[in-house]
Structure formats: structure tokens, C-alpha cells
Amino acid sequence: MAILDILQYPDPRLRTKAQPVDIVDEQIRTLIDDMYETMYSAPGIGLAASQVDVHKRIIVIDVSENRDEPHAFINPELQLDGEPMETEEGCLSLPGIYEPVTRFDRVRVESIDRNGRPATLEAEGTLAVCIQHECDHLEGKLFVDYLSSLKRMRIRKKLQKQQRIQA
């Protein structure tokens, strides 16, 4: 397994719409394993393939305390359910930035699992929010897109300054 580089906002590649996975093969399973390793080492609770510059419709998530409930979704399709709720979100592509975002508290996701089989999951709470966040990445959308343009501009400037300092 390998730790992959995570694209940082405002990298324009984060805006690329991901393409469906046609065949789940060993290359896709290896990518999923690398995405888990990358997510856990970051550390984070979710990662979309788009964030590691692979524009395929794949997300991995593990919201458990012990990192022992991994979920991989290939070609996820969401059905939003429940009530809107506001939670504070962060993102591995926007390190250190946390802002309130409104999401639905329940979702149903239909996808393909790492073995190429159809799968359905009904999720609520943090898992539901994380699924929505990661699926947004597959559409080229970031959680900052839910914020005002003034907040986005401030975040962009802050992250660009951090990137210059680290370079």
C-alpha cells in the first residue's frame, strides 16, 4: 500500500468531475487500499479519489473511533433523507479549516463494493454527512462552496499563505 498525495484547495483539479468505474479489478482494489492508508495517515474520516487526482467515482470512509469500520463506495448514488442539520465540516484538501455546513441527517447510498457486487447502505448522523461530503468531491464540489464568497476568499488566502510558508 502507498500513501498518496492529497490535492490542496484551490488546486483546479479538485473541480474535475469524476468518471464512473466500469470494471472493478485489482487496480481499483489497490487504489481503494491506498486511499484507506492515505485517509488514516492524514488523519481523516473520508477521502474521494478526486482528492488524490484519480478522477474515478470512488470514496472511502471510516467514521469509527477505532478505525475498524471502513466503507468503500464505487459509483455511489445518493438518496437524501431525513432533516437538514448543520454540522461543522473539515476536509483533507483544506487542512485546518472547519466551517458549519447544512446537510441531511440520513442518506441511502447505492454503490458497488470492492468485489464488484451491488451494495446498499442506509446511514445517519456523521456517516451520512461524510458520505454527502465525499460524493460532492466526485462532482467537483467542495464544502466551501456552501459558504459565502467572502468566507471562501478568506479561506483561499489563508491556505495559500500556509502553502507558501511550507514551500
Coordinates of all heavy atoms in Angstrom, one line a residue, residues 66-147:
N66 N -12.2 3.6 16.4 CA -11.1 2.6 16.3 C -10.6 2.3 14.9 O -9.8 1.4 14.7 CB -11.4 1.3 17.0 CG -11.7 1.5 18.5 OD1 -11.1 2.3 19.1 ND2 -12.7 0.8 19.0
R67 N -11.1 3.1 13.9 CA -10.7 2.8 12.5 C -10.9 1.4 12.1 O -10.1 0.8 11.5 CB -9.3 3.2 12.3 CG -9.0 4.7 12.5 CD -7.6 5.0 12.3 NE -7.4 6.4 12.3 CZ -6.2 7.0 12.0 NH1 -5.2 6.3 11.7 NH2 -6.1 8.3 12.0
D68 N -12.1 0.9 12.5 CA -12.3 -0.6 12.2 C -13.7 -0.8 11.5 O -14.2 -1.9 11.5 CB -12.2 -1.4 13.5 CG -13.2 -0.9 14.6 OD1 -14.0 0.0 14.3 OD2 -13.2 -1.6 15.6
E69 N -14.2 0.3 10.9 CA -15.5 0.2 10.1 C -15.3 0.9 8.8 O -16.1 1.8 8.5 CB -16.6 0.8 10.9 CG -16.9 0.1 12.2 CD -18.0 0.8 13.1 OE1 -18.9 1.4 12.5 OE2 -17.9 0.7 14.3
P70 N -14.4 0.4 8.0 CA -14.2 1.0 6.7 C -15.3 0.7 5.7 O -15.9 -0.4 5.7 CB -12.9 0.4 6.2 CG -12.8 -1.0 6.9 CD -13.5 -0.8 8.2
H71 N -15.6 1.7 4.9 CA -16.6 1.6 3.8 C -16.0 2.1 2.5 O -15.3 3.2 2.5 CB -17.8 2.5 4.1 CG -18.6 2.2 5.4 ND1 -19.5 1.2 5.4 CD2 -18.5 2.7 6.6 CE1 -20.0 1.1 6.6 NE2 -19.4 2.0 7.4
A72 N -16.1 1.4 1.5 CA -15.7 1.8 0.1 C -16.9 1.8 -0.7 O -17.7 0.8 -0.8 CB -14.6 0.9 -0.4
F73 N -17.1 2.9 -1.4 CA -18.3 3.0 -2.3 C -17.8 3.3 -3.7 O -17.1 4.3 -3.9 CB -19.2 4.2 -1.9 CG -19.7 4.1 -0.5 CD1 -19.0 4.6 0.6 CD2 -20.9 3.4 -0.2 CE1 -19.5 4.5 1.9 CE2 -21.3 3.2 1.1 CZ -20.6 3.8 2.1
I74 N -18.1 2.5 -4.7 CA -17.7 2.7 -6.1 C -19.0 3.1 -6.8 O -20.1 2.4 -6.7 CB -17.1 1.4 -6.7 CG1 -15.9 1.0 -5.9 CG2 -16.8 1.6 -8.2 CD1 -15.3 -0.4 -6.2
N75 N -19.0 4.2 -7.6 CA -20.1 4.7 -8.3 C -21.3 4.9 -7.4 O -22.4 4.5 -7.7 CB -20.5 3.8 -9.5 CG -19.4 3.6 -10.5 OD1 -18.6 4.4 -10.7 ND2 -19.5 2.5 -11.2
P76 N -21.1 5.6 -6.3 CA -22.2 5.9 -5.3 C -23.3 6.7 -5.9 O -23.0 7.7 -6.6 CB -21.5 6.6 -4.2 CG -20.3 7.2 -4.8 CD -19.9 6.4 -5.9
E77 N -24.5 6.4 -5.6 CA -25.7 7.2 -6.0 C -26.5 7.4 -4.7 O -26.8 6.5 -3.9 CB -26.6 6.4 -6.9 CG -26.0 6.1 -8.3 CD -25.7 7.4 -9.1 OE1 -26.5 8.4 -8.9 OE2 -24.8 7.4 -9.9
L78 N -26.7 8.7 -4.4 CA -27.3 9.1 -3.1 C -28.8 9.4 -3.2 O -29.2 9.9 -4.2 CB -26.7 10.4 -2.6 CG -25.3 10.3 -1.9 CD1 -25.0 11.7 -1.4 CD2 -25.3 9.4 -0.8
Q79 N -29.5 9.0 -2.2 CA -30.9 9.5 -2.0 C -30.9 10.1 -0.6 O -30.6 9.5 0.4 CB -31.9 8.3 -2.0 CG -32.0 7.6 -3.3 CD -32.8 6.3 -3.2 OE1 -33.2 5.9 -2.2 NE2 -33.1 5.8 -4.4
L80 N -31.1 11.4 -0.6 CA -31.1 12.2 0.6 C -32.4 12.0 1.4 O -33.5 11.8 0.8 CB -30.9 13.7 0.3 CG -29.7 14.0 -0.5 CD1 -29.6 15.5 -0.9 CD2 -28.4 13.6 0.3
D81 N -32.3 12.0 2.7 CA -33.5 11.7 3.5 C -33.3 12.4 4.8 O -32.3 13.0 5.1 CB -33.6 10.2 3.8 CG -34.9 9.7 4.3 OD1 -35.9 10.5 4.3 OD2 -35.0 8.6 4.8
G82 N -34.4 12.4 5.6 CA -34.3 13.0 6.9 C -34.5 14.5 6.9 O -35.0 15.1 6.0
E83 N -33.9 15.1 7.9 CA -34.0 16.5 8.1 C -32.6 17.2 7.9 O -31.6 16.6 8.1 CB -34.4 16.8 9.6 CG -35.8 16.2 9.9 CD -36.9 16.8 9.1 OE1 -36.9 18.1 8.9 OE2 -37.8 16.1 8.8
P84 N -32.7 18.5 7.4 CA -31.4 19.2 7.3 C -30.9 19.5 8.7 O -31.6 19.7 9.6 CB -31.8 20.5 6.6 CG -33.2 20.3 6.1 CD -33.8 19.2 6.9
M85 N -29.5 19.4 8.8 CA -28.9 19.7 10.1 C -27.6 20.4 9.8 O -26.9 20.1 8.7 CB -28.7 18.4 10.9 CG -27.7 17.4 10.4 SD -27.4 16.1 11.5 CE -25.9 15.5 11.0
E86 N -27.2 21.2 10.7 CA -25.9 22.0 10.5 C -24.8 21.3 11.3 O -25.0 21.0 12.5 CB -26.1 23.4 10.9 CG -24.8 24.2 10.6 CD -25.1 25.7 10.9 OE1 -24.8 26.1 12.0 OE2 -25.5 26.4 10.0
T87 N -23.7 21.0 10.7 CA -22.6 20.4 11.4 C -21.3 21.1 10.9 O -21.3 21.7 9.8 CB -22.4 18.9 11.1 OG1 -22.2 18.7 9.7 CG2 -23.6 18.1 11.6
E88 N -20.3 21.0 11.8 CA -19.0 21.6 11.4 C -18.3 20.6 10.5 O -18.1 19.5 11.0 CB -18.2 22.0 12.6 CG -17.0 22.9 12.3 CD -16.4 23.5 13.5 OE1 -15.6 22.8 14.2 OE2 -16.7 24.6 13.8
E89 N -17.8 21.0 9.4 CA -17.1 20.1 8.5 C -15.7 20.6 8.3 O -15.4 21.8 8.3 CB -17.8 20.0 7.1 CG -19.0 19.3 7.1 CD -19.6 19.0 5.7 OE1 -18.8 18.9 4.8 OE2 -20.8 18.8 5.7
G90 N -14.8 19.7 8.0 CA -13.4 19.9 7.6 C -13.2 19.1 6.4 O -14.0 18.3 5.9
C91 N -12.0 19.2 5.8 CA -11.6 18.5 4.6 C -10.1 18.3 4.5 O -9.4 19.2 4.8 CB -12.2 19.2 3.4 SG -11.9 18.4 1.8
L92 N -9.7 17.1 4.1 CA -8.2 16.9 4.0 C -7.6 17.8 2.9 O -6.4 18.0 2.9 CB -8.0 15.4 3.7 CG -8.4 14.5 4.8 CD1 -8.1 13.0 4.3 CD2 -7.6 14.7 6.1
S93 N -8.4 18.3 2.0 CA -7.9 19.2 0.9 C -7.9 20.7 1.4 O -7.4 21.5 0.7 CB -8.8 19.1 -0.3 OG -8.6 17.8 -0.9
L94 N -8.4 20.9 2.6 CA -8.4 22.2 3.2 C -8.0 22.1 4.7 O -8.7 22.3 5.6 CB -9.8 22.9 3.2 CG -10.3 23.3 1.8 CD1 -11.3 22.3 1.2 CD2 -11.0 24.6 1.9
P95 N -6.7 21.7 4.9 CA -6.3 21.4 6.2 C -6.4 22.6 7.2 O -6.1 23.7 6.9 CB -4.8 21.1 6.0 CG -4.4 21.6 4.7 CD -5.7 21.7 3.9
G96 N -7.0 22.2 8.4 CA -7.1 23.2 9.4 C -8.4 24.1 9.3 O -8.6 25.0 10.1
I97 N -9.2 23.9 8.3 CA -10.3 24.8 8.1 C -11.6 24.0 8.4 O -11.8 22.9 8.0 CB -10.5 25.2 6.6 CG1 -9.2 25.9 6.1 CG2 -11.7 26.1 6.3 CD1 -8.9 27.2 6.8
Y98 N -12.4 24.6 9.3 CA -13.7 23.9 9.8 C -14.7 25.0 9.7 O -14.6 26.1 10.2 CB -13.5 23.4 11.2 CG -12.5 22.3 11.2 CD1 -11.1 22.6 11.5 CD2 -12.8 21.0 11.0 CE1 -10.2 21.7 11.6 CE2 -11.8 20.0 11.0 CZ -10.5 20.3 11.3 OH -9.5 19.4 11.3
E99 N -15.9 24.7 9.1 CA -17.0 25.6 8.9 C -18.3 24.9 9.0 O -18.4 23.7 8.6 CB -16.9 26.4 7.6 CG -15.7 27.3 7.5 CD -15.8 28.6 8.3 OE1 -17.0 29.0 8.7 OE2 -14.8 29.2 8.6
P100 N -19.3 25.6 9.5 CA -20.7 24.9 9.5 C -21.3 24.8 8.1 O -21.2 25.7 7.3 CB -21.5 25.9 10.4 CG -20.8 27.2 10.3 CD -19.4 26.9 10.1
V101 N -21.8 23.6 7.9 CA -22.5 23.3 6.6 C -23.8 22.5 6.9 O -23.8 21.7 7.8 CB -21.6 22.4 5.7 CG1 -22.3 22.0 4.4 CG2 -20.3 23.1 5.4
T102 N -24.8 22.8 6.1 CA -26.1 22.1 6.3 C -26.2 20.9 5.4 O -26.0 21.1 4.2 CB -27.3 23.1 6.1 OG1 -27.2 24.2 7.0 CG2 -28.6 22.4 6.3
R103 N -26.4 19.8 5.9 CA -26.6 18.5 5.2 C -27.8 17.8 5.7 O -28.3 18.1 6.8 CB -25.4 17.6 5.4 CG -24.0 18.2 5.1 CD -23.6 17.9 3.7 NE -22.2 18.3 3.4 CZ -21.7 18.4 2.2 NH1 -22.4 18.1 1.2 NH2 -20.5 18.7 2.1
F104 N -28.2 16.7 5.0 CA -29.3 15.9 5.5 C -28.8 14.9 6.5 O -27.6 14.5 6.4 CB -30.0 15.2 4.4 CG -30.9 16.1 3.6 CD1 -30.4 16.8 2.5 CD2 -32.2 16.2 3.9 CE1 -31.2 17.6 1.8 CE2 -33.0 17.1 3.2 CZ -32.5 17.8 2.1
D105 N -29.6 14.6 7.5 CA -29.1 13.7 8.6 C -29.2 12.2 8.3 O -28.7 11.4 9.0 CB -29.8 14.0 9.9 CG -31.3 13.7 9.9 OD1 -31.9 13.4 8.9 OD2 -31.9 13.8 11.0
R106 N -29.8 11.9 7.1 CA -29.9 10.5 6.7 C -29.7 10.4 5.2 O -30.2 11.3 4.5 CB -31.3 9.8 7.1 CG -31.4 9.6 8.6 CD -32.6 8.7 8.9 NE -33.9 9.2 8.4 CZ -34.7 10.0 9.0 NH1 -34.4 10.5 10.1 NH2 -35.8 10.4 8.4
V107 N -29.1 9.3 4.7 CA -29.0 9.0 3.3 C -29.1 7.6 3.1 O -28.9 6.7 3.9 CB -27.6 9.5 2.7 CG1 -27.5 11.0 2.8 CG2 -26.5 8.8 3.3
R108 N -29.4 7.2 1.8 CA -29.4 5.9 1.3 C -28.4 5.9 0.2 O -28.6 6.8 -0.7 CB -30.8 5.4 0.9 CG -30.8 4.1 0.3 CD -32.2 3.8 -0.2 NE -32.3 2.6 -1.1 CZ -32.6 1.4 -0.6 NH1 -33.0 1.3 0.6 NH2 -32.6 0.4 -1.4
V109 N -27.4 5.1 0.2 CA -26.4 5.1 -0.9 C -26.4 3.7 -1.6 O -26.3 2.7 -0.9 CB -25.0 5.5 -0.4 CG1 -24.5 4.6 0.6 CG2 -24.1 5.6 -1.6
E110 N -26.5 3.7 -2.9 CA -26.4 2.5 -3.7 C -25.1 2.6 -4.4 O -24.8 3.7 -5.0 CB -27.6 2.4 -4.6 CG -28.9 2.1 -3.9 CD -30.1 1.9 -4.8 OE1 -29.9 1.7 -6.0 OE2 -31.2 2.0 -4.3
S111 N -24.3 1.5 -4.4 CA -23.0 1.6 -5.0 C -22.6 0.2 -5.4 O -23.4 -0.8 -5.3 CB -22.0 2.2 -4.0 OG -21.9 1.3 -2.8
I112 N -21.3 0.1 -5.7 CA -20.7 -1.2 -6.0 C -19.6 -1.4 -4.9 O -18.9 -0.4 -4.6 CB -20.1 -1.3 -7.4 CG1 -21.1 -1.0 -8.4 CG2 -19.3 -2.6 -7.6 CD1 -20.6 -0.8 -9.8
D113 N -19.5 -2.6 -4.3 CA -18.4 -2.8 -3.3 C -17.1 -3.1 -4.0 O -17.0 -3.3 -5.2 CB -18.8 -3.8 -2.3 CG -18.9 -5.2 -2.8 OD1 -18.4 -5.5 -3.9 OD2 -19.5 -6.1 -2.1
R114 N -16.0 -3.3 -3.2 CA -14.7 -3.6 -3.7 C -14.6 -4.9 -4.5 O -13.6 -5.1 -5.2 CB -13.7 -3.4 -2.6 CG -13.8 -4.5 -1.6 CD -12.7 -4.4 -0.5 NE -11.4 -4.8 -1.0 CZ -10.3 -4.0 -1.0 NH1 -10.3 -2.9 -0.4 NH2 -9.2 -4.4 -1.5
N115 N -15.6 -5.7 -4.3 CA -15.6 -7.0 -5.0 C -16.5 -7.0 -6.3 O -16.8 -8.0 -6.9 CB -16.1 -8.1 -4.1 CG -15.1 -8.3 -3.0 OD1 -13.9 -8.4 -3.2 ND2 -15.6 -8.3 -1.7
G116 N -17.0 -5.8 -6.6 CA -17.8 -5.6 -7.8 C -19.3 -6.0 -7.6 O -20.0 -6.1 -8.6
R117 N -19.7 -6.2 -6.4 CA -21.1 -6.5 -6.1 C -21.9 -5.3 -5.8 O -21.4 -4.4 -5.1 CB -21.2 -7.5 -5.0 CG -20.5 -8.8 -5.3 CD -20.7 -9.8 -4.2 NE -20.2 -9.3 -2.9 CZ -19.2 -9.8 -2.2 NH1 -18.7 -11.0 -2.6 NH2 -18.8 -9.3 -1.1
P118 N -23.2 -5.2 -6.2 CA -24.1 -4.1 -5.8 C -24.2 -4.1 -4.3 O -24.3 -5.1 -3.6 CB -25.4 -4.4 -6.5 CG -25.1 -5.4 -7.5 CD -23.9 -6.2 -7.1
A119 N -24.3 -2.9 -3.7 CA -24.4 -2.7 -2.3 C -25.4 -1.5 -2.0 O -25.4 -0.6 -2.7 CB -23.1 -2.5 -1.6
T120 N -26.1 -1.6 -0.9 CA -27.0 -0.5 -0.5 C -26.7 -0.3 1.0 O -26.6 -1.3 1.8 CB -28.5 -0.9 -0.7 OG1 -28.7 -1.1 -2.1 CG2 -29.3 0.3 -0.2
L121 N -26.6 0.9 1.4 CA -26.4 1.3 2.8 C -27.3 2.4 3.2 O -27.4 3.4 2.4 CB -24.9 1.6 3.1 CG -24.6 2.1 4.5 CD1 -24.6 0.9 5.5 CD2 -23.2 2.8 4.5
E122 N -28.0 2.3 4.3 CA -28.7 3.4 4.9 C -27.9 4.0 6.0 O -27.5 3.2 6.9 CB -30.1 3.0 5.3 CG -31.0 2.6 4.1 CD -32.4 2.4 4.4 OE1 -32.9 2.8 5.5 OE2 -33.1 1.8 3.6
A123 N -27.6 5.3 6.0 CA -26.7 5.8 7.0 C -27.4 7.1 7.6 O -28.2 7.7 7.0 CB -25.4 6.2 6.4
E124 N -26.9 7.4 8.8 CA -27.4 8.6 9.5 C -26.3 9.2 10.3 O -25.2 8.6 10.4 CB -28.6 8.2 10.4 CG -28.3 7.2 11.5 CD -29.5 6.8 12.3 OE1 -30.6 6.8 11.8 OE2 -29.3 6.6 13.5
G125 N -26.5 10.4 10.7 CA -25.5 11.1 11.5 C -24.3 11.4 10.8 O -24.3 11.8 9.6
T126 N -23.1 11.3 11.5 CA -21.8 11.6 10.9 C -21.5 10.8 9.7 O -21.0 11.4 8.7 CB -20.7 11.3 12.0 OG1 -21.0 12.1 13.2 CG2 -19.4 11.7 11.5
L127 N -21.9 9.5 9.6 CA -21.7 8.7 8.4 C -22.4 9.3 7.2 O -21.9 9.4 6.1 CB -22.0 7.3 8.6 CG -21.8 6.3 7.5 CD1 -20.3 6.4 7.0 CD2 -22.2 4.9 7.8
A128 N -23.7 9.7 7.4 CA -24.5 10.3 6.4 C -23.9 11.6 5.9 O -23.8 11.9 4.7 CB -25.9 10.5 6.8
V129 N -23.4 12.4 6.8 CA -22.8 13.7 6.4 C -21.5 13.5 5.6 O -21.3 14.1 4.6 CB -22.5 14.6 7.7 CG1 -21.6 15.7 7.4 CG2 -23.8 15.0 8.3
C130 N -20.7 12.5 6.1 CA -19.4 12.2 5.4 C -19.7 11.7 4.0 O -19.0 12.1 3.1 CB -18.6 11.2 6.3 SG -16.9 11.0 5.7
I131 N -20.7 10.8 3.8 CA -21.0 10.3 2.5 C -21.4 11.5 1.6 O -20.9 11.5 0.4 CB -22.1 9.3 2.6 CG1 -21.6 8.0 3.3 CG2 -22.7 8.9 1.2 CD1 -22.7 7.0 3.6
Q132 N -22.2 12.4 2.1 CA -22.6 13.5 1.2 C -21.4 14.4 0.9 O -21.2 14.8 -0.3 CB -23.6 14.4 2.0 CG -25.0 13.7 2.1 CD -25.9 14.4 3.1 OE1 -26.5 15.4 2.7 NE2 -26.0 13.9 4.3
H133 N -20.5 14.6 1.8 CA -19.3 15.5 1.6 C -18.4 14.8 0.6 O -18.0 15.5 -0.4 CB -18.6 15.6 3.0 CG -17.2 16.3 2.9 ND1 -17.0 17.6 3.4 CD2 -16.0 15.9 2.4 CE1 -15.8 17.9 3.2 NE2 -15.2 16.9 2.6
E134 N -18.2 13.5 0.7 CA -17.3 12.8 -0.2 C -17.9 12.7 -1.6 O -17.2 12.8 -2.6 CB -16.8 11.5 0.3 CG -16.1 11.5 1.6 CD -14.9 12.4 1.6 OE1 -14.3 12.7 0.6 OE2 -14.5 13.0 2.7
C135 N -19.2 12.5 -1.7 CA -19.9 12.4 -3.0 C -19.8 13.8 -3.7 O -19.7 13.9 -4.9 CB -21.3 11.9 -2.9 SG -21.4 10.2 -2.6
D136 N -19.8 14.9 -2.9 CA -19.7 16.2 -3.5 C -18.3 16.3 -4.3 O -18.3 16.9 -5.4 CB -19.7 17.3 -2.5 CG -21.1 17.8 -2.2 OD1 -22.1 17.3 -2.8 OD2 -21.3 18.6 -1.2
H137 N -17.3 15.7 -3.7 CA -16.0 15.8 -4.3 C -16.0 15.1 -5.7 O -15.4 15.6 -6.6 CB -14.9 15.0 -3.5 CG -14.3 15.8 -2.4 ND1 -13.5 17.0 -2.6 CD2 -14.4 15.7 -1.0 CE1 -13.1 17.4 -1.4 NE2 -13.6 16.7 -0.5
L138 N -16.8 14.1 -5.9 CA -16.9 13.4 -7.1 C -17.5 14.3 -8.2 O -17.4 14.0 -9.4 CB -17.7 12.1 -7.0 CG -17.1 11.1 -6.0 CD1 -18.0 9.8 -5.9 CD2 -15.7 10.7 -6.3
E139 N -18.3 15.3 -7.8 CA -18.9 16.2 -8.7 C -18.1 17.5 -8.8 O -18.5 18.4 -9.5 CB -20.3 16.6 -8.2 CG -21.3 15.4 -8.0 CD -21.5 14.7 -9.4 OE1 -21.6 15.4 -10.4 OE2 -21.6 13.5 -9.4
G140 N -16.9 17.5 -8.2 CA -16.0 18.7 -8.3 C -16.5 19.8 -7.4 O -16.1 21.0 -7.5
K141 N -17.2 19.4 -6.3 CA -17.7 20.4 -5.4 C -17.1 20.2 -4.0 O -16.8 19.1 -3.6 CB -19.3 20.2 -5.2 CG -19.9 21.3 -4.4 CD -21.4 21.1 -4.5 CE -22.1 22.3 -3.8 NZ -23.6 22.2 -4.0
L142 N -16.7 21.4 -3.4 CA -16.1 21.3 -2.1 C -17.0 21.9 -1.0 O -17.9 22.7 -1.3 CB -14.8 22.1 -2.1 CG -13.8 21.7 -3.2 CD1 -12.7 22.7 -3.3 CD2 -13.3 20.3 -2.8
F143 N -16.8 21.6 0.3 CA -17.7 22.1 1.3 C -17.6 23.6 1.4 O -18.6 24.3 1.8 CB -17.4 21.5 2.6 CG -16.4 22.1 3.5 CD1 -16.7 23.1 4.4 CD2 -15.0 21.7 3.4 CE1 -15.7 23.6 5.2 CE2 -14.0 22.2 4.2 CZ -14.4 23.2 5.1
V144 N -16.6 24.3 0.9 CA -16.5 25.7 0.9 C -17.5 26.4 -0.1 O -17.8 27.5 0.0 CB -15.1 26.3 0.7 CG1 -14.2 25.9 1.9 CG2 -14.5 25.8 -0.6
D145 N -17.9 25.6 -1.0 CA -18.9 26.1 -2.0 C -20.3 26.4 -1.3 O -21.1 27.1 -1.9 CB -19.1 25.1 -3.1 CG -17.9 24.9 -3.9 OD1 -17.0 25.7 -3.9 OD2 -17.8 23.8 -4.7
Y146 N -20.5 25.9 -0.1 CA -21.7 26.1 0.6 C -21.6 27.4 1.4 O -22.5 27.9 2.1 CB -22.0 25.0 1.6 CG -22.4 23.7 0.9 CD1 -21.5 22.7 0.6 CD2 -23.7 23.5 0.4 CE1 -21.8 21.5 -0.1 CE2 -24.1 22.3 -0.2 CZ -23.1 21.4 -0.5 OH -23.5 20.2 -1.1
L147 N -20.4 28.0 1.5 CA -20.1 29.2 2.3 C -20.3 30.5 1.4 O -20.3 30.4 0.2 CB -18.7 29.1 2.9 CG -18.4 27.9 3.6 CD1 -16.9 27.9 4.1 CD2 -19.3 27.7 4.8

